[in-house]
Amino acid sequence: MSTTAIAHPVSSTGIAHTARIFAKETKYEFLKLLRARSFSLAITGFPVMFYLLFGIANRHANNGNIQIAKYMLGSYACFGLVGAALFGIGAGMAAERAAGWLEVKQASPMPPMAYLFGKCATAVAFGLIIVCILTVIGLTMGGVQLTALEFARMLGMTVAGAISFASMGLLLALVIPANAAPGIVNLLYLPMSYASGLWIPIESLPHFVQRTAQVLPTYHLAQLMLSIFGYQNADSLLGHWIGLAGFTMLMLGLSWLLFQRSQQNS
Protein backbone atom coordinates (compact mmCIF):
# COMPACT_ATOMS: atom_id res chain seq x y z
CA MET A 1 0.00 0.00 0.00
CA SER A 2 1.55 3.23 -1.10
CA THR A 3 1.02 6.64 0.40
CA THR A 4 0.96 9.87 -1.47
CA ALA A 5 2.95 12.72 -0.01
CA ILE A 6 1.01 15.92 0.25
CA ALA A 7 3.09 19.04 -0.28
CA HIS A 8 2.19 21.87 2.04
CA PRO A 9 3.24 25.37 1.13
CA VAL A 10 6.03 26.61 3.32
CA SER A 11 5.16 29.84 5.08
CA SER A 12 7.45 32.72 4.33
CA THR A 13 9.67 33.53 7.29
CA GLY A 14 12.73 35.53 8.05
CA ILE A 15 13.84 38.82 6.61
CA ALA A 16 11.65 38.75 3.50
CA HIS A 17 8.50 38.17 5.55
CA THR A 18 9.39 40.94 8.00
CA ALA A 19 10.19 43.31 5.14
CA ARG A 20 6.74 42.70 3.63
CA ILE A 21 5.09 43.53 6.96
CA PHE A 22 7.07 46.77 7.22
CA ALA A 23 6.26 47.65 3.61
CA LYS A 24 2.51 47.03 4.05
CA GLU A 25 2.35 49.03 7.27
CA THR A 26 4.14 51.91 5.54
CA LYS A 27 1.89 51.70 2.49
CA TYR A 28 -1.35 51.87 4.46
CA GLU A 29 -0.05 54.58 6.78
CA PHE A 30 0.87 56.70 3.76
CA LEU A 31 -2.49 56.10 2.06
CA LYS A 32 -4.33 56.92 5.28
CA LEU A 33 -2.67 60.32 5.60
CA LEU A 34 -2.84 61.01 1.87
CA ARG A 35 -6.61 60.46 1.90
CA ALA A 36 -7.01 62.61 5.01
CA ARG A 37 -7.29 65.85 3.04
CA SER A 38 -7.18 67.98 6.18
CA PHE A 39 -3.64 66.66 6.69
CA SER A 40 -2.24 66.14 3.20
CA LEU A 41 -3.48 69.42 1.71
CA ALA A 42 -2.48 71.49 4.74
CA ILE A 43 0.93 69.92 5.21
CA THR A 44 1.87 70.49 1.56
CA GLY A 45 -0.16 73.65 1.03
CA PHE A 46 1.35 75.83 3.76
CA PRO A 47 5.01 75.65 2.65
CA VAL A 48 3.92 76.09 -0.98
CA MET A 49 1.79 79.12 -0.12
CA PHE A 50 4.54 80.72 1.96
CA TYR A 51 7.12 80.05 -0.75
CA LEU A 52 4.92 81.71 -3.33
CA LEU A 53 4.38 84.73 -1.05
CA PHE A 54 7.93 85.23 0.21
CA GLY A 55 10.14 83.36 -2.24
CA ILE A 56 8.62 83.73 -5.69
CA ALA A 57 7.39 87.24 -4.94
CA ASN A 58 11.06 88.17 -4.33
CA ARG A 59 12.49 86.18 -7.21
CA HIS A 60 14.48 89.18 -8.50
CA ALA A 61 15.84 90.08 -5.05
CA ASN A 62 19.34 89.31 -3.88
CA ASN A 63 21.13 89.74 -0.57
CA GLY A 64 24.74 90.02 -1.65
CA ASN A 65 25.50 86.81 -3.50
CA ILE A 66 22.41 85.10 -2.05
CA GLN A 67 19.41 84.65 -4.35
CA ILE A 68 16.37 85.05 -2.12
CA ALA A 69 14.19 82.62 -4.12
CA LYS A 70 16.87 79.92 -3.82
CA TYR A 71 17.46 80.63 -0.13
CA MET A 72 13.73 80.34 0.51
CA LEU A 73 13.59 77.09 -1.42
CA GLY A 74 15.94 75.53 1.12
CA SER A 75 14.34 77.13 4.17
CA TYR A 76 10.75 76.28 3.21
CA ALA A 77 11.82 72.75 2.36
CA CYS A 78 12.90 72.48 6.01
CA PHE A 79 9.65 74.11 7.16
CA GLY A 80 7.61 71.57 5.20
CA LEU A 81 9.47 68.44 6.26
CA VAL A 82 9.42 69.43 9.94
CA GLY A 83 5.66 70.00 9.76
CA ALA A 84 5.10 66.62 8.10
CA ALA A 85 7.04 64.86 10.87
CA LEU A 86 5.54 66.72 13.83
CA PHE A 87 1.92 66.61 12.70
CA GLY A 88 2.01 63.19 11.04
CA ILE A 89 3.67 61.49 14.02
CA GLY A 90 3.16 63.81 16.99
CA ALA A 91 -0.47 64.77 16.53
CA GLY A 92 -1.37 61.57 14.66
CA MET A 93 0.03 59.15 17.22
CA ALA A 94 -1.41 61.15 20.10
CA ALA A 95 -4.89 60.70 18.61
CA GLU A 96 -4.31 56.98 18.03
CA ARG A 97 -3.00 56.55 21.58
CA ALA A 98 -6.13 58.21 22.99
CA ALA A 99 -8.37 56.02 20.83
CA GLY A 100 -6.67 52.84 22.06
CA TRP A 101 -5.16 52.03 18.68
CA LEU A 102 -1.66 51.62 20.15
CA GLU A 103 -2.93 48.87 22.46
CA VAL A 104 -4.47 47.10 19.47
CA LYS A 105 -1.16 47.28 17.62
CA GLN A 106 0.73 45.96 20.65
CA ALA A 107 -1.69 43.04 20.98
CA SER A 108 -1.33 42.10 17.31
CA PRO A 109 1.42 39.75 16.04
CA MET A 110 2.90 42.59 13.99
CA PRO A 111 6.49 43.54 14.99
CA PRO A 112 6.28 46.68 17.18
CA MET A 113 8.92 48.45 15.11
CA ALA A 114 6.80 48.10 11.95
CA TYR A 115 4.32 50.62 13.34
CA LEU A 116 7.02 53.18 14.13
CA PHE A 117 8.82 52.51 10.86
CA GLY A 118 5.62 53.12 8.90
CA LYS A 119 5.10 56.45 10.68
CA CYS A 120 8.68 57.57 10.08
CA ALA A 121 8.77 56.45 6.45
CA THR A 122 5.50 58.27 5.78
CA ALA A 123 6.93 61.47 7.27
CA VAL A 124 9.96 61.09 5.01
CA ALA A 125 7.71 60.50 1.99
CA PHE A 126 5.66 63.64 2.62
CA GLY A 127 8.86 65.61 3.17
CA LEU A 128 10.19 64.45 -0.19
CA ILE A 129 6.90 65.33 -1.90
CA ILE A 130 7.02 68.84 -0.44
CA VAL A 131 10.63 69.36 -1.54
CA CYS A 132 9.85 68.18 -5.07
CA ILE A 133 6.84 70.52 -5.35
CA LEU A 134 8.84 73.50 -4.05
CA THR A 135 11.71 72.69 -6.41
CA VAL A 136 9.40 72.61 -9.44
CA ILE A 137 7.93 75.97 -8.41
CA GLY A 138 11.38 77.46 -7.86
CA LEU A 139 12.69 76.25 -11.22
CA THR A 140 9.66 77.29 -13.25
CA MET A 141 8.53 80.46 -11.50
CA GLY A 142 11.39 81.70 -9.34
CA GLY A 143 14.30 81.66 -11.76
CA VAL A 144 16.14 79.25 -9.46
CA GLN A 145 19.04 77.36 -11.02
CA LEU A 146 19.64 73.99 -9.40
CA THR A 147 22.13 71.31 -10.39
CA ALA A 148 21.29 67.61 -10.25
CA LEU A 149 23.81 67.19 -7.41
CA GLU A 150 22.21 69.98 -5.38
CA PHE A 151 18.77 68.46 -5.83
CA ALA A 152 20.04 65.00 -4.83
CA ARG A 153 21.66 66.47 -1.72
CA MET A 154 18.41 68.27 -0.88
CA LEU A 155 16.56 64.96 -1.02
CA GLY A 156 19.17 63.32 1.20
CA MET A 157 18.98 66.17 3.71
CA THR A 158 15.19 65.87 3.67
CA VAL A 159 15.41 62.21 4.66
CA ALA A 160 17.85 62.99 7.48
CA GLY A 161 15.77 65.92 8.72
CA ALA A 162 12.48 64.03 8.60
CA ILE A 163 13.95 61.16 10.62
CA SER A 164 15.34 63.60 13.17
CA PHE A 165 12.05 65.42 13.73
CA ALA A 166 10.12 62.16 13.65
CA SER A 167 11.89 61.43 16.93
CA MET A 168 10.49 64.69 18.34
CA GLY A 169 7.04 63.75 17.05
CA LEU A 170 7.30 60.41 18.84
CA LEU A 171 8.10 62.09 22.15
CA LEU A 172 5.23 64.55 21.75
CA ALA A 173 2.84 61.72 20.97
CA LEU A 174 3.71 60.07 24.27
CA VAL A 175 3.27 63.14 26.48
CA ILE A 176 0.59 65.44 25.06
CA PRO A 177 -3.18 64.87 25.21
CA ALA A 178 -4.84 64.12 21.89
CA ASN A 179 -7.33 67.00 21.97
CA ALA A 180 -4.54 69.53 22.57
CA ALA A 181 -1.97 67.95 20.24
CA PRO A 182 -2.44 70.20 17.16
CA GLY A 183 -2.27 73.37 19.24
CA ILE A 184 0.79 72.27 21.22
CA VAL A 185 2.58 71.17 18.06
CA ASN A 186 1.90 74.58 16.51
CA LEU A 187 3.16 76.34 19.65
CA LEU A 188 6.48 74.55 19.19
CA TYR A 189 6.65 74.35 15.40
CA LEU A 190 5.87 77.94 14.41
CA PRO A 191 8.17 79.81 16.87
CA MET A 192 11.03 77.40 16.10
CA SER A 193 10.53 77.96 12.38
CA TYR A 194 10.51 81.75 12.71
CA ALA A 195 13.49 81.94 15.08
CA SER A 196 15.57 79.59 12.90
CA GLY A 197 15.19 81.70 9.77
CA LEU A 198 12.85 79.37 7.91
CA TRP A 199 10.48 82.20 6.97
CA ILE A 200 12.90 85.06 6.43
CA PRO A 201 16.72 85.06 6.36
CA ILE A 202 18.02 84.76 9.89
CA GLU A 203 20.28 87.78 9.37
CA SER A 204 17.12 89.91 9.20
CA LEU A 205 15.94 88.80 12.64
CA PRO A 206 16.68 90.65 15.89
CA HIS A 207 20.06 89.83 17.42
CA PHE A 208 18.60 88.15 20.50
CA VAL A 209 16.56 85.86 18.23
CA GLN A 210 19.67 85.00 16.23
CA ARG A 211 21.47 84.03 19.44
CA THR A 212 18.50 81.93 20.60
CA ALA A 213 18.33 80.15 17.24
CA GLN A 214 21.70 78.47 17.79
CA VAL A 215 20.19 76.06 20.33
CA LEU A 216 17.24 75.10 18.12
CA PRO A 217 17.29 71.89 16.05
CA THR A 218 15.46 73.66 13.21
CA TYR A 219 18.38 76.12 12.97
CA HIS A 220 20.90 73.28 12.58
CA LEU A 221 18.69 71.62 9.96
CA ALA A 222 18.27 74.88 8.04
CA GLN A 223 22.01 75.60 8.02
CA LEU A 224 22.76 72.10 6.74
CA MET A 225 20.14 72.49 3.99
CA LEU A 226 21.39 75.95 3.00
CA SER A 227 24.98 74.70 2.94
CA ILE A 228 24.01 72.77 -0.20
CA PHE A 229 23.80 76.15 -1.96
CA GLY A 230 26.70 77.71 -0.08
CA TYR A 231 24.31 80.00 1.84
CA GLN A 232 25.04 78.80 5.39
CA ASN A 233 26.52 80.97 8.14
CA ALA A 234 30.18 80.79 9.05
CA ASP A 235 29.51 78.13 11.73
CA SER A 236 31.06 74.68 11.42
CA LEU A 237 28.92 72.21 9.50
CA LEU A 238 30.20 69.47 11.80
CA GLY A 239 28.73 71.39 14.72
CA HIS A 240 25.35 71.47 12.97
CA TRP A 241 25.50 67.73 12.33
CA ILE A 242 26.42 67.09 15.97
CA GLY A 243 23.58 69.37 17.12
CA LEU A 244 21.01 67.61 14.95
CA ALA A 245 22.26 64.12 15.88
CA GLY A 246 22.35 65.00 19.59
CA PHE A 247 18.79 66.32 19.41
CA THR A 248 17.64 63.10 17.72
CA MET A 249 19.30 60.87 20.31
CA LEU A 250 17.86 62.95 23.15
CA MET A 251 14.34 62.69 21.75
CA LEU A 252 14.67 58.94 21.17
CA GLY A 253 16.13 58.38 24.64
CA LEU A 254 13.33 60.26 26.37
CA SER A 255 10.74 58.47 24.24
CA TRP A 256 12.20 55.08 25.17
CA LEU A 257 12.14 55.95 28.89
CA LEU A 258 8.53 57.12 28.72
CA PHE A 259 7.48 54.07 26.74
CA GLN A 260 9.15 51.72 29.22
CA ARG A 261 7.45 53.51 32.12
CA SER A 262 4.06 53.26 30.46
CA GLN A 263 4.63 49.53 29.86
CA GLN A 264 5.43 48.99 33.54
CA ASN A 265 2.35 50.91 34.68
CA SER A 266 -0.02 49.09 32.33
Side-chain angles (χ1 to χ4, degrees):
M1 180 175 173
S2 63
T3 59
T4 304
I6 301 176
H8 295 280
V10 179
S11 61
S12 177
T13 57
I15 297 176
H17 178 62
T18 303
R20 282 197 296 272
I21 295 175
F22 276 59
K24 283 192 174 183
E25 182 67 19
T26 301
K27 172 186 174 182
Y28 292 121
E29 177 65 23
F30 177 78
L31 290 176
K32 180 190 74 174
L33 291 182
L34 184 66
R35 291 168 179 169
R37 301 304 169 86
S38 59
F39 173 84
S40 59
L41 292 181
I43 214 66
T44 57
F46 275 109
V48 168
M49 178 185 68
F50 286 146
Y51 185 51
L52 289 172
L53 290 175
F54 300 109
I56 302 304
N58 294 292
R59 61 186 176 276
H60 301 303
N62 294 281
N63 183 8
N65 63 343
I66 296 177
Q67 182 189 9
I68 297 300
K70 193 171 185 178
Y71 180 102
M72 292 296 182
L73 172 61
S75 63
Y76 280 115
C78 295
F79 178 70
L81 73 89
V82 171
L86 294 186
F87 283 99
I89 297 180
M93 278 188 65
E96 292 176 0
R97 177 171 59 87
W101 188 239
L102 286 182
E103 286 78 5
V104 173
K105 289 287 187 178
Q106 290 172 351
S108 72
M110 181 185 73
M113 285 302 298
Y115 177 73
L116 297 178
F117 178 85
K119 293 283 186 184
C120 184
T122 299
V124 170
F126 272 98
L128 293 173
I129 291 171
I130 291 167
V131 170
C132 290
I133 294 173
L134 293 177
T135 300
V136 170
I137 294 173
L139 293 174
T140 58
M141 301 173 61
V144 173
Q145 306 228 337
L146 203 66
T147 67
L149 178 59
E150 287 176 331
F151 180 62
R153 291 177 65 190
M154 281 184 70
L155 295 181
M157 196 64 240
T158 300
V159 173
I163 292 173
S164 179
F165 281 89
S167 66
M168 181 179 179
L170 175 60
L171 178 62
L172 292 175
L174 293 173
V175 299
I176 59 179
N179 56 352
I184 293 175
V185 169
N186 269 320
L187 283 174
L188 296 171
Y189 171 47
L190 298 181
M192 283 198 310
S193 298
Y194 168 77
S196 301
L198 301 189
W199 294 352
I200 58 176
I202 193 167
E203 295 79 10
S204 303
L205 297 175
H207 290 295
F208 78 92
V209 177
Q210 294 183 39
R211 290 193 296 270
T212 303
Q214 297 178 15
V215 301
L216 298 176
T218 40
Y219 171 76
H220 296 300
L221 174 63
Q223 292 302 306
L224 289 170
M225 184 70 81
L226 293 172
S227 71
I228 296 170
F229 313 137
Y231 291 169
Q232 77 279 9
N233 290 340
D235 304 328
S236 166
L237 289 182
L238 178 61
H240 293 308
W241 278 114
I242 292 173
L244 195 63
F247 164 76
T248 305
M249 298 307 296
L250 175 63
M251 295 294 103
L252 289 176
L254 292 174
S255 299
W256 183 81
L257 289 175
L258 288 172
F259 182 76
Q260 290 297 318
R261 181 175 297 179
S262 66
Q263 290 292 96
Q264 292 171 1
N265 294 336
S266 60

